Amino acid sequence: MRVGNSILPSFPRTLMAIFFSLRCSQVFRLIGHILGTGTWEQRKLKEITSVIKDGTHGTHIEHYGAYLLSAKNILSNRIVYSKNDRQISINDFNKIYKGYSLNDGDFLLTIVGTIGRTAIYRQSKDKIAFQRSVAIIRGKEEIIDNYFLMFSFQLPTIKKILQRVTSISAQPGIYLRDLSNIEVWYPVISEQQKIIALLKNICNLIAANE
């Protein structure tokens, strides 16, 4: 069937809007019906992840060597930064990562100020660290894919939970203990990957027509 050019660019965005306007369970039933996926489980985030951590709380002197990014650098599922963004010394960078590492594919979620923006970290030649406004989340690879987590946290049901557990102060924020208790629905890994592929294709169509 041929689709007119005036309709095609709006179709992926409309489909994505439908997915993310439904309640969590409705989205899963819809996608499961489309792809023929099986049983879904619901568990707390802390039960299906190996890392839930926020960025540095420390004071760092500005210096060239490594980028120190924040929630404002997480936009449209991407990490966006330039040479104008804050930089710190390599020594401070190494101190930040003394007890843990930022791995390729980690899920990033903004948890201070602007709540709920998401991205997947992809390793690059630049050294990057994050301030406490960004949470670093790593799913247990045998249970859940980080891309699946990212798409899950874009669902309105989870966004409402994030709003509910946000502490109200001069700068709104989410405590890691509250974040770790949020419940996530998911199928087995092979079925997650089918869903991820579908949603990535829709996102790519949207990007190509913007």
Side-chain angles (χ1 to χ4, degrees):
M1 179 180 69
R2 295 183 64 185
V3 180
N5 290 335
S6 62
I7 298 175
L8 184 57
S10 65
F11 176 72
R13 190 178 296 280
T14 301
L15 185 55
M16 186 67 88
I18 290 170
F19 281 152
F20 294 120
S21 67
L22 298 173
R23 288 188 292 111
C24 197
S25 59
Q26 291 176 319
V27 171
F28 294 154
R29 283 198 297 269
L30 175 59
I31 296 176
H33 178 72
I34 292 170
L35 299 176
T37 57
T39 303
W40 293 64
E41 289 189 48
Q42 184 181 30
R43 292 170 70 182
K44 291 181 179 179
L45 188 64
K46 64 185 177 183
E47 297 173 340
I48 58 175
T49 55
S50 57
V51 174
I52 302 177
K53 185 177 183 0
D54 55 1
T56 177
H57 291 233
T59 301
H60 304 282
I61 298 172
E62 293 199 14
H63 194 284
Y64 293 108
Y67 288 97
L68 182 59
L69 305 181
S70 66
K72 71 181 179 65
N73 298 105
I74 307 297
L75 295 167
S76 303
N77 296 339
R78 295 180 299 135
I79 304 168
V80 179
Y81 65 99
S82 70
K83 291 181 179 179
N84 296 323
D85 281 293
R86 186 180 177 190
Q87 294 189 49
I88 58 174
S89 69
I90 295 298
N91 186 48
D92 273 8
F93 174 83
N94 290 335
K95 286 180 181 177
I96 290 171
Y97 287 119
K98 187 176 181 180
Y100 78 106
S101 63
L102 181 62
N103 290 357
D104 185 63
D106 281 349
F107 167 45
L108 306 175
L109 177 73
T110 60
I111 57 169
V112 175
T114 302
I115 307 294
R117 290 180 179 171
T118 62
I120 295 293
Y121 172 72
R122 304 300 346 176
Q123 209 152 23
S124 72
K125 57 183 177 59
D126 294 322
K127 295 183 181 298
I128 294 174
F130 288 96
Q131 297 179 40
R132 68 183 183 90
S133 58
V134 178
I136 296 112
I137 302 170
R138 187 176 306 147
K140 294 178 180 177
E141 60 182 22
E142 71 276 13
I143 298 176
I144 197 157
D145 188 290
N146 286 333
Y147 271 102
F148 190 84
L149 276 175
M150 183 184 75
F151 285 124
S152 294
F153 271 78
Q154 293 172 25
L155 294 170
T157 304
I158 291 187
K159 283 186 174 293
K160 286 179 181 177
I161 294 171
L162 291 175
Q163 290 174 358
R164 191 172 69 240
V165 300
T166 296
S167 62
I168 304 301
S169 60
Q171 194 172 34
I174 297 175
Y175 293 111
L176 292 181
R177 68 172 179 270
D178 293 326
L179 177 62
S180 66
N181 283 320
I182 290 176
E183 294 188 330
V184 178
W185 284 91
Y186 63 94
V188 297
I189 283 286
S190 60
E191 295 177 349
Q192 289 175 42
Q193 290 167 347
K194 293 177 185 177
I195 293 167
I196 292 165
L198 171 64
L199 295 179
K200 277 186 176 180
N201 285 337
I202 295 171
C203 289
N204 290 338
L205 285 169
I206 291 170
N209 287 286
E210 284 182 335

